[in-house]
Structure formats: C-alpha cells, structure tokens
Amino acid sequence: MMNGLARAAVRFRPASFVGSFVALLLASTVITACGLLLQTGVTAHLAPVRYANAPVVVAADPSAKISVRHGESRETESTPLPERARVEAALADRLAALPGVAAALPDLAFPVQAAVPGAPVLTAHGFASIGLTAPGPQPGAGGGLLAEGRAPGVGEVVLDAATARTAHLAVGDRVTLTAPTGSGSYRVAGLADPRVGTTGAWFTDAVAGQLSGHPGRIDAIAVQVRPGASVKEVAAQVRQAVGGQAQVFTGDGRATVEQPLLLQAKVMLTALGGSFGGIATMTAVFVVMGTIALATNQRAREFALLRAIGATPRQIRRTIATEAMLIAPLAGLLGILPGLGLAHWWFGQMVSRGAVPAGLSLSVGPIPMLAATGSGLLAALLAGYLGARRPAKLRPSQALGESAVERARPGWIRTTVGLLALVGGCVLAGVTTGQSGADAANTALGVVMCFLLAMALLGPLVAWLATTVLGLPLRTRPAGAAGSLAADTSRANARRLASAITPIVMVTAFCGTLLVMGSSIAHVSAEQVRGGMVADQIVASAGPGLPVDAAARAAKVPGVADAVGVLHTGAVLRSGDTLNTATVLGVSGDPSKVLDLGVRDGSLSGLAGGTDTVAVDASVADTMKVKVGDRLPLQLGDGTPVRPTVVAVYQRGLGLGALVLPRAALAGHVGTGYDSQVLVHDAPGADRAAVAAALARLGDGAPLTVTDAAGYAAASDRDQELNTWANTVMAGVLGGFAAVAAANTLVMTVLDRRREVGLLRLSGTTRRQVRGMFRWEALLVATTGLLLGGAIAWVTLVPVARGLTDSAPYVSPALVLPVAAGVVLLALAATALPGRALLREKPLTASAGRR
C-alpha cells in the first residue's frame, strides 16, 4: 500500500517533488564532472609519437621522491620535477652492445631560433637520432634520410626541407642560429628527407650537446630491437644494464618521456578531481539532503493525516524511501548528460591554456556516473528518513495538531553536532594560521565546509537571532505595514527562513573564499613585482629565450651600467612528509642592481661569482627553518640534490620568486638554458630610448622586445591568469550550484505558504502589501546570507592569506559587488515570481489548502 501511495504522490503531486528533483539533478551533474576529471587523471595516457619505432626507451626518473613512514610501513611520496632530468650520453654505447639491441640512439632536443624572417622556432637534435621518427628501424645515423647533401660536420647543420624552403636556404648557404649557449653561423650541409616527419635542425652529437648547455647528457636513449628478439626480454636486459642510473619505459609509458607535461597533468587532474571533487560531492550531498528534508517537512500535514488514519512509523518511512527510489535514479541519470558537457568544457579549457597536453582526451567511464547516481540516491534516502522521524514518531491522536505548529527549538543531537562543527571550523582556522603555501589553501575549503555544516544544523537559532536583529528596522515607519509583516512572519517561522538562508550562505562563502583568495594572491604578487623591479630596461625574446651570453653583451652597450640575466626555473623542497615545488630565479650577477627583493637579513651580493649560495623568501625560510649561514637542502629542477648556503632572506618572493640562485648553479639542470630576460640598469644620464634601440639589435636578427618595469609587471600579471582562471571556475561550479540550490529552496519555501497568503488576503492585506512583504523577506534573507557567508569567508581567508601572502585578504570591489548584487537579485526573483503565482489564486481556495 505504501509503495502505491508513493507512486501516486509522485504522479499526481509532481510539484511537491520538483525542488528535490532539481537538487538531485544538479548534484549528479557536479559529481559526474569531477569524477570524470579524476578518472582522467588516474588513467591518462598518450600513444608515443617520436618513440613509436623504439619499443624500449631509457630516461631519467621524471619525479622527485621521498620515503615516508606511515605506522609500521613506509610509502613513497612523489611530485613531478619542474625540469627534464637527463641521463649520461655514454650509457647509449653500453646499451648498443647488448645482445638483443639493434641500435641505441641518443636523443637530445632543444629549441633554436633562425635569424631569418618568417622562420619558425626549430627543435634541434643530434644527428644520430635523425632516423628515430622515420618508419621502420633505422640503425645508426643513416644518410639515406637526407634528401640533399650529407651529414653535418663541425660548424654545419642539417635542416628539414620545409624550413629551408621557407627561409630560402639551400645546401651550401649559411644561416645564423641562436642556441641556449649563444648565436653562431652554420653552413647548411644537407636537407632532411620528409620521411623524418619533424621540423628541426640536426648538428653533430658533440656540437648539439655543447649548444644545449648540458654536454655529455641527453634526454633519452631510444632502443631498437633486433628482428626476432622479444621486447620484454630486451627491456629486462636494458633494465639490468642501467641499474639505478635511469628508468626503462615501454608501451604507452614512452609518451611520458616525450611529454613531461603528461605527468604534471595527471597530478593536477587527480588533485582537482579528488580534492575539489570531494568538496563538490560533499556540497552536492549537503544540498540534496537539505532540499529533501525541507520537502519532507513541508508535507508534515500529509504524513500526520496518514498517522491519524492508522499508518505505522515503518510505513511512513517506507513511503519516503519509495519516493526517493522513484525520483533519485531518474534525476541522477538525467544529470549525467550535463555533467559530461561540463567535464568536456572544463577539460578543453585546460588544454587550451596549456595545462594539459593537446593529445590527451577526457576519459569517460561508468564509475563516475554510478557514483553520481548512487550518492544522490543515498543522500535522498537519508534525508527522507531523517525528515520523517518526527511525523513518524508522533501518536496518531496528536499528529495533526503537532504538524500545524513549527517546532520551537532544534533537537539536542542537532544542536550538539552543530556546535561541534562550529568548534571544528574554528580549530581548523587556527591550524591554518600555522601553515603556509598550498597547505593553507587546501585547508581553506575544509574550514568552509565545517562552518556551513554548523550553519545548516544551527540554522533555526541563527535565523531567529538574525530576524530579531535585522527585523528591528523593518518595524519602523519607513518600512510600512509590509516591513512589519515581514519581520513578524520571519521571526515566527525561523526554521523556514533558515532553509532559505543556508544556500545563500553557501553561495557567498564559496565564491568569497575562492575568488578573494585568488585576488589576494594576484594583488600581492603584482605589488611585489611593481615594487621589486627597479631595472630601467627589460630585454626579452619573442622566440624561445635569450642565450647565456646575452647579459654580457648587453653590459657592453653604451649607456648600460649593469645587466643581469634572469633564468626562470623551479626547485623541489621537502617540508615534513610533503614535497613542494618552489619558483626559482637564476641570476648571472648581483641582482641588487636591478631587483629590490626586500632583503630582511643578509645580502644579495653573496650570489655574485659563486655556485653554492642561495637567497630565500621569508616564507620558505620560516617553513624550512633556515637562516643566513645555514645550508638549505633542495633538489634542482632536474632532481639534482644540492645544499647551498643561505646568504639572504627577503620578503618579495611571491611576485619575484621563492629562491634566487646563481645562474651558474643552474646551468645543465634546466630544460633549455635560455635566459628568460636580461634586466638592465642604465648609467646616469643615459638616453633611455637610445639604449633600448641598441639593446633591441642584440638578437643577431632574431626578434627581441625591450620594455620597462611596468611592462614586466604586466607580463607577470598574465602569468597569474591560469591560477586565477582555476579559482574562478571552481567558484563558478560550486557557487553556481549553490545559487541554483538557493533559488530552488526559496521557491519551495514561498510556494509552501499558500494557506498563509490566503489568510492574509482574507484578513484585509492587499496584494501590494503581500508583494512588499515578500520583497522585505527576500532582502532579509539576502542580507543575513551575505553577512554570515562573508563572515565565514573572512574567518577562513585571514589565516590563509597570512600563510600565502603574509598580509590581510585583498577584497576587490569588482568581485564583491557583483556577488552581492547577484545574491540580492537572486533572492528577489526567487520570491517574487512564485509570490505572484500565489496571489493569482482566490483567497478562499488558498486558505483552505485546496489546489
């Protein structure tokens, strides 16, 4: 019988279930999207392209690893290295001598720029690898892959035919190429056959090593197997031969060597889908439970009537469960399609911004979809069961009377758990004050969730206090009868008001935390760049970068007092049981001439002329517990461990770099040895325009850009775009979901007031006064939600901002005003539209509760 009642209720009273259906559908959408990103991060793989004809590839470990003890066991924690790690070139000769190996081709790649108008940036290699991408095995440096000419010698280069045609070059011509170690003129010895399938330049192996900036070391060794030999057996031979010097990759694992970004993308997608997906899932379940609990409470009179005619508590609970089983799976399935669309859009945006390799595709599987549908169903069942506890336990003789009166106070269990959540949020916020960097940011959403849980559980008490305080102005003469009516009805129905306030708090807290966190980082970073960049001229390349001798050449330009080359890279620091990547500046001289880093202790002059020194940002120094004179243990970008001496501690690391090392200490440990910029300090009285024009001619035909400190700051702001975009998307997903849930809840609460509106109309209240009452109530709900959500966001952000930026949160009016206006408009629209629908009903019909 109860199953029939549930089916009849869904069939003949669908309006009672629309709000729950919308909440379940949106929850399925968000969980599906986050689950697909997580699944992609776990299963992401690419087919090898460059190494497609090399079944076995030998390369260095692309990750930094530490061993961490967990109880009685030890686990390995890892993080992708900021730069490509390399292996010894001599290892290729040892591998070539193995029984099953046909050839072991040393592979090295680095960008070079031709000083020819219209010529693209070329990828340079050693000539031994020219046959690597050609179809079929190509042992050795076969000249059969040359369309014209011969193999290069010292001072010569082989170009691909397409580039040669574009640059109007032929065999025997000379071309100027800019490599990381400098510019030089080279004779074109030959043109590569189109079968090579790549745009590039090939030098002798020795010359390629010198030009790349790390002679004697290569990116990888491509091992080709003899006919009839087993790839598995050859891989085992190679693995035994290399020992711990390198790793052996086969199958799709070879693509990790080709695309270092793949490993970073896997980590990012896994973190995004896991951590943010977990928060999004908790939020979705939270909203679903709140919406279904509200819908169940609104039907208290219906359940009371069933109790009055003899329905048992078990039958009431079974009815609720059956209704959930009817709507939850359908809503979950319908939410999968928009979830797929959201995931594809999100993933495509990351690809277009260079955070994910272009060849990677979104992994679509059934597990995220089942998780989305199942979590929605479980949330619906639990919310329905909890919401039905009170009407199911009432005695049949008291049921109808109790259902007509709002419960005076929340139960002691709810109050206790709410207070515990409030205390937990305060404790987490306190813990965050002792954290720095990414740890503080990761804790922030946990703080928000604790406070939101407290708000949901203590909502009636909070709503009663809010209506008591904020209702005072509504009882004044300017607000009129509508304002007084809104204040009285809101205070008398605090539980209903709490259901409307909670989603507004969610919108404000989520959007405020994520957006203000991003704006605070961007604001402080920009301020540090503007204050720290004291160079008069900044020279940069429109191509891959500036050669290592660019700073020395710039220093010889008339009117230049000092020129410092800057190389941007990264390093890995261990803090406790975690590995964190820090930004690094490599400088070719004394940076104090062109950078004001805000030195707190020590002197930057100690960086000039050495290779075993480092300057450290204050936040890193505090985290690593080092001071001037101490040794700082770290791993350079390619994983090489070093322990340089700290010579200075400074305070502008967020905008300019967490570590500053001598450029010589980084040579050979970066992907490409190009300088990012050359910072120039003009001599007193120098003509800035003349100096800039002379600096622009240093490129030997390659395009250079010369800007000032303001231009550098603008470029630094663009570097923050990816992080800002990521925060904005997360705020949009969570805030948008919460906003729709807020509108959904407000509509449900207004439509549940048919009898109240009908009685008001019968007692003489005009339509205008009822509409005014709804408007004042909407403003009361919006104001309360904004204040509470803003307070939660601020309590969360203060310690996080201190940890990340060492300053208070930066609240931009451009962010706050749109959020506040959006919340107010949302509340007004979500109450005005259903309110007008109620006013179209006849008062007698509405007050009697007939539809």
Side-chain angles (χ1 to χ4, degrees):
M1 180 181 71
M2 293 297 107
N3 291 344
L5 282 175
R7 289 193 296 271
V10 174
R11 180 180 179 185
F12 294 108
R13 296 185 57 188
S16 301
F17 301 93
V18 169
S20 302
F21 187 87
V22 170
L24 286 164
L25 187 147
L26 291 173
S28 176
T29 298
V30 174
I31 297 173
T32 297
C34 294
L36 290 174
L37 293 179
L38 174 61
Q39 178 173 287
T40 303
V42 172
T43 64
H45 67 280
L46 288 172
V49 177
R50 180 167 179 77
Y51 298 130
N53 298 322
V56 180
V57 175
V58 177
D61 190 345
S63 301
K65 295 182 173 65
I66 58 171
S67 179
V68 178
R69 180 180 292 278
H70 293 288
E72 297 298 323
S73 63
R74 300 191 71 87
E75 297 181 2
T76 300
E77 301 289 337
S78 66
T79 189
L81 290 170
E83 303 283 357
R84 180 190 287 276
R86 293 181 174 82
V87 296
E88 296 292 336
L91 184 59
D93 295 333
R94 289 168 47 194
L95 297 181
L98 295 176
V101 175
L105 306 180
D107 191 28
L108 174 66
F110 58 95
V112 295
Q113 176 72 59
V116 177
V121 176
L122 305 175
T123 302
H125 305 275
F127 191 67
S129 63
I130 191 170
L132 186 59
T133 57
Q138 299 288 339
L145 291 173
L146 294 178
E148 297 181 45
R150 56 173 175 79
V154 177
E156 295 180 329
V157 66
V158 168
L159 299 176
D160 69 281
T163 298
R165 285 195 302 270
T166 301
H168 305 290
L169 294 172
V171 173
D173 292 344
R174 301 196 69 84
V175 60
T176 299
L177 298 173
T178 299
T181 54
S183 300
S185 177
Y186 299 88
R187 179 183 178 275
V188 179
L191 302 180
D193 190 277
R195 287 182 298 160
V196 172
T198 184
T199 299
W202 289 265
F203 302 89
T204 65
D205 291 354
V207 170
Q210 293 292 334
L211 293 177
S212 67
H214 37 80
R217 300 184 68 82
I218 54 177
D219 297 345
I221 301 172
V223 178
Q224 294 178 335
V225 178
R226 291 185 182 276
S230 167
V231 172
K232 185 176 181 180
E233 293 177 357
V234 172
Q237 294 176 13
V238 171
R239 194 171 287 111
Q240 184 177 3
V242 301
Q245 292 181 268
Q247 288 190 337
V248 178
F249 298 87
T250 58
D252 286 349
R254 295 169 292 171
T256 305
V257 183
E258 286 183 26
Q259 295 258 23
L261 182 61
L262 176 60
L263 185 59
Q264 299 176 20
K266 287 169 67 75
V267 172
M268 182 194 66
L269 289 170
T270 303
L272 180 63
S275 60
F276 175 70
I279 296 293
T281 300
M282 291 175 59
T283 305
V285 171
F286 178 75
V287 169
V288 166
M289 292 184 65
T291 305
I292 292 180
L294 174 63
T296 303
N297 290 331
Q298 288 178 343
R299 298 169 61 200
R301 184 178 178 85
E302 177 183 326
F303 295 132
L305 183 60
L306 290 174
R307 288 288 287 140
I309 61 175
T312 65
R314 181 174 179 274
Q315 289 175 323
I316 297 293
R317 290 193 294 268
R318 184 175 178 181
T319 300
I320 298 293
T322 303
E323 291 171 355
M325 291 293 293
L326 290 175
I327 65 172
L330 178 59
L333 292 173
L334 291 179
I336 289 174
L337 187 59
L340 285 169
L342 175 60
H344 275 97
W345 174 83
W346 203 341
F347 187 81
Q349 289 294 308
M350 286 187 283
V351 172
S352 66
R353 284 169 168 78
V356 173
L360 194 63
S361 59
L362 184 71
S363 175
V364 178
I367 295 178
M369 305 173 191
L370 291 174
T373 305
S375 58
L377 176 59
L378 291 176
L381 289 172
L382 181 60
Y385 173 78
L386 294 176
R389 286 180 66 248
R390 184 182 177 224
K393 289 192 304 182
L394 293 175
R395 295 179 181 179
S397 59
Q398 299 174 335
L400 285 173
E402 291 286 339
S403 68
V405 181
E406 185 176 273
R407 193 172 182 176
R409 61 178 65 88
W412 67 269
I413 296 178
R414 177 173 181 170
T415 303
T416 302
V417 176
L419 291 174
L420 289 175
L422 182 62
V423 172
C426 295
V427 170
L428 274 180
V431 169
T432 309
T433 59
Q435 296 177 328
S436 61
D439 293 336
N442 292 335
T443 310
L445 290 179
V447 177
V448 174
M449 290 304 299
C450 284
F451 283 129
L452 287 179
L453 179 60
M455 171 61 205
L457 296 174
L458 302 177
L461 295 176
V462 174
W464 185 85
L465 289 174
T467 54
T468 301
V469 175
L470 298 179
L472 293 177
L474 297 183
R475 292 184 172 90
T476 59
R477 185 177 183 87
S484 178
L485 193 59
D488 293 337
T489 56
S490 297
R491 190 179 184 195
N493 296 280
R495 183 179 294 270
R496 180 185 65 197
L497 189 68
S499 300
I501 290 174
T502 301
I504 299 290
V505 174
M506 289 176 60
V507 175
T508 309
F510 279 135
C511 292
T513 300
L514 290 170
L515 294 178
V516 174
M517 186 189 304
S519 68
S520 298
I521 294 173
H523 176 73
V524 173
S525 177
E527 278 193 334
Q528 291 186 2
V529 170
R530 286 191 293 269
M533 181 57 60
V534 295
D536 298 305
Q537 317 269 8
I538 292 93
V539 184
S541 171
L546 297 166
V548 67
D549 61 349
R553 297 170 62 194
K556 298 177 182 179
V557 171
V560 172
D562 297 282
V564 177
V566 174
L567 171 66
H568 290 272
T569 181
V572 179
L573 299 171
R574 177 175 180 175
S575 176
D577 292 339
T578 61
L579 293 172
N580 297 310
T581 301
T583 56
V584 177
L585 290 185
V587 294
S588 61
D590 184 355
S592 61
K593 304 293 185 180
V594 291
L595 292 173
D596 179 6
L597 294 174
V599 176
R600 188 179 71 184
D601 299 303
S603 172
L604 295 176
S605 60
L607 296 171
T611 60
D612 192 32
T613 55
V614 63
V616 185
D617 177 60
S619 63
V620 175
D622 294 340
T623 301
M624 301 296 292
K625 297 180 174 59
V626 295
K627 60 183 182 301
V628 173
D630 292 344
R631 293 278 183 174
L632 176 67
L634 59 91
Q635 290 179 272
L636 298 179
D638 65 347
T640 302
V642 295
R643 294 175 62 86
T645 301
V646 178
V647 297
V649 176
Y650 56 89
Q651 296 178 316
R652 285 176 171 162
L654 185 63
L656 296 170
L659 303 173
V660 181
L661 284 92
R663 194 197 184 287
L666 302 173
H669 302 287
V670 291
T672 58
Y674 287 106
D675 280 348
S676 303
Q677 296 100 13
V678 170
L679 309 182
V680 175
H681 174 56
D682 292 349
D687 185 345
R688 176 171 295 188
V691 172
L695 292 172
R697 293 192 293 269
L698 293 178
D700 295 324
L704 296 182
T705 60
V706 181
T707 184
D708 55 10
Y712 182 91
S716 299
D717 290 342
R718 287 193 293 270
D719 293 339
Q720 296 285 341
E721 287 181 0
L722 181 60
N723 291 332
T724 302
W725 173 83
N727 280 337
T728 303
V729 170
M730 288 190 289
V733 172
L734 287 180
F737 175 52
V740 176
N744 186 34
T745 303
L746 286 168
V747 170
M748 291 174 65
T749 56
V750 172
L751 291 178
D752 189 51
R753 299 170 65 181
R754 297 178 66 252
R755 293 168 59 86
E756 176 187 333
V757 171
L759 289 173
L760 286 172
R761 293 291 311 285
L762 289 175
S763 63
T765 307
T766 65
R767 290 174 179 266
R768 182 179 178 181
Q769 289 173 329
V770 172
R771 288 194 296 268
M773 178 189 71
F774 281 136
R775 282 194 295 270
W776 284 116
E777 286 183 355
L779 291 174
L780 182 63
V781 168
T783 303
T784 304
L786 286 170
L787 291 175
L788 292 175
I792 291 173
W794 186 258
V795 171
T796 304
L797 283 166
V798 167
V800 173
R802 290 292 180 188
L804 289 171
T805 66
D806 196 29
S807 64
Y810 172 72
V811 182
S812 170
L815 292 177
V816 173
L817 295 179
V819 172
V823 167
V824 171
L825 291 175
L826 176 74
L828 289 172
T831 53
L833 295 177
R836 289 180 179 275
L838 293 182
L839 289 174
R840 284 196 292 267
E841 293 189 65
K842 295 180 179 180
L844 281 175
T845 303
S847 62
R850 297 192 298 271
R851 297 185 183 274

